[in-house]
């Protein structure tokens, strides 16, 4: 039986730099009885774990293996992993205190946190859930590249390499639309070519916040980019 | 003449809660020679200033009056205000040290920061510009309301009450699209009605992070909402 005191808290730790973690996230990680950090490989920490270790050195972290590739099959594997992790969360909550789950960026945006919430609620429907929002990767990339994303009546489309291509194409065809593409995979080539003939500012970045971070004009993106890549295309604006 | 040492730094102070400021933002505000904080009314602090005073009590803050309504005429008034503030920034940079400009949320997203950069560069083209990204209001609203915004192949449209209505309508008609509307003004009524007959989760919030904060289901939004209101509509998803 789970007592009412402990909460499952999804903590966004931001895009990569340990100092882009919020004050609330640091405090939450340090106070939690247990911090669960997803990784692809049990032998090495994931990026969220690395950020957590630097930003909140006293956090009590346990590593959890979680597939994070973006194909459709991986989606059901992620769900299965969440179901495997859920009993661990419930057991920790039974002991008392909060359990934090760290996610890169923000827990509401393309994160595994809500899969975990579903799996935990299937076992223990009364578990209280909280979310600590985080800085998203596209804000960090725009900041690092000195790009103004949205002004006035502009809008932004945020999508992934798995989003329907017509959504991406419509954003590229609309001069008032910014486009952000996460985990673009091979879509990087399509977007790079679509933007090449326009005068829109476009950048690509990966491994933000790590020593291997790369930020380039999109025109100089290679055909193959790392998994956690962000593409950013600004609206076509006549600046005064 | 501006020396090369001082930088103009746009600092995102997040959606409203002083503890949703990042560690980097706190440090930047405390180290800056001068922190400029926009407000509508010289006699009272703006929301960014309030957050700054709580998150970084030692910051040296100067208040700057800046119109922040969302009509087209206000846009040219904002530009004029930026031109009025620019000499103050240049003079401070000449003395030495960094000048920080605080913005709610993130400086790349519907902020006056880039207008100020343009105006400063018109006077002193060599001024170095930096940006400290911040947590955006829609992440904070989703977190507070317990809403998963994006999963898998979903996408998000971020717009304002001034964005072309067909962009908003397309997002509402697409079950894979989340919609975020900032400063919706009277558009709140249109979106509320469009969502009423669907099974999508939709919330509205204002004054986030203040004692007057309100978060409600969109169905319960009044016809008139405060200026800094955020509307959030989740994709229509069959959750397992």
């Amino acid at each position: 039986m789970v007592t009412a005191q402990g909460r499952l808290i999804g903590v966004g730790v931001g895009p990569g730099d340990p100092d882009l973690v919020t004050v609330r996230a640091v405090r939450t990680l340090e106070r939690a009885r247990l911090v669960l950090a997803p990784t692809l490989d049990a032998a090495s920490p994931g990026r969220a774990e690395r950020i957590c270790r630097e930003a909140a050195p006293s956090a009590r972290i346990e590593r959890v293996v979680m597939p994070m590739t973006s194909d459709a099959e991986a989606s059901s594997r992620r769900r299965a992993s969440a179901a495997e992790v859920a009993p661990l969360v419930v057991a920790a909550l039974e002991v008392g205190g909060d359990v934090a789950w760290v996610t890169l960026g923000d827990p509401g945006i393309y994160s595994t946190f809500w899969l975990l919430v579903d799996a935990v609620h299937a076992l223990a429907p009364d578990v209280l859930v909280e979310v600590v929002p985080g800085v998203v990767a596209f804000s960090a990339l725009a900041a690092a590249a000195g790009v103004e994303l949205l002004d006035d009546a502009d809008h932004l489309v945020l999508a992934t390499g798995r989003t329907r291509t017509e959504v991406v194409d419509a954003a590229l065809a609309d001069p008032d639309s910014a486009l952000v593409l996460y985990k673009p995979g091979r879509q990087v080539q399509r977007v790079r070519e679509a933007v090449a003939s326009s005068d829109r500012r476009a950048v690509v970045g990966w491994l933000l916040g790590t020593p291997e971070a790369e930020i380039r004009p999109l025109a100089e993106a290679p055909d193959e980019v790392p998994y956690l890549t962000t593409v950013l295309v600004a609206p076509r604006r006549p600046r005064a």
Side-chain angles (χ1 to χ4, degrees), chain A:
Chain A
M1 192 192 303
V2 175
T3 66
Q5 282 125 311
R7 295 160 297 178
L8 171 58
I9 310 179
V11 178
V13 292
D17 303 78
D19 66 351
L20 288 180
V21 176
T22 66
V23 172
R24 187 188 297 176
V26 171
R27 211 169 47 214
T28 304
L29 294 170
E30 284 175 343
R31 283 186 188 163
R33 167 173 295 272
L34 178 66
V35 175
L36 297 174
T39 179
L40 289 169
D41 168 12
S44 68
R47 290 185 62 197
E49 179 181 335
R50 282 210 192 90
I51 299 167
C52 180
R53 287 196 186 280
E54 288 198 54
S58 68
R60 289 153 294 275
I61 302 177
E62 189 158 329
R63 196 173 293 165
V64 173
V65 177
M66 201 89 173
M68 277 180 274
T69 54
S70 62
D71 52 280
E73 188 230 354
S75 168
S76 64
R77 277 194 290 140
R78 272 204 307 275
R79 203 168 283 278
S81 300
E84 278 173 41
V85 175
L88 177 69
V89 173
V90 173
L93 290 170
E94 277 170 356
V95 176
D98 295 331
V99 174
W101 176 265
V102 288
T103 80
L104 272 177
D106 179 81
I109 297 177
Y110 304 122
S111 127
T112 51
F113 177 65
W114 291 99
L115 288 179
L116 181 67
V117 170
D118 284 349
V120 166
H121 277 164
L123 298 177
D126 295 335
V127 165
L128 296 175
V129 170
E130 275 190 27
V131 174
V132 178
V135 172
V136 294
F138 73 78
S139 285
L141 177 57
V147 173
E148 178 185 14
L149 261 184
L150 295 175
D151 183 27
D152 218 20
D154 295 334
H155 63 283
L156 176 140
V157 173
L158 168 61
T160 76
R162 289 196 58 216
T163 301
R164 290 161 14 228
T165 52
E166 79 244 36
V167 171
V168 172
D169 292 344
L172 289 170
D174 184 343
D176 299 332
S177 180
L179 170 69
V180 172
L181 205 60
Y182 281 168
K183 304 174 190 166
R186 299 187 167 276
Q187 302 294 329
V188 125
Q189 305 170 30
R190 284 182 63 247
V191 179
R192 188 185 58 200
E193 269 136 54
V195 173
S197 55
S198 81
D199 56 355
R200 294 164 80 160
R201 278 206 66 187
V203 294
V204 61
W206 55 84
L207 294 170
L208 301 174
T210 75
E212 295 79 35
E214 282 266 6
I215 297 178
R216 308 180 183 181
L218 181 58
E220 296 166 20
D223 286 346
E224 306 256 350
V225 291
Y227 174 58
L228 284 177
T229 286
T230 299
V231 170
L232 189 156
V233 182
R236 191 180 310 133
R237 67 169 64 90
R239 293 298 301 277

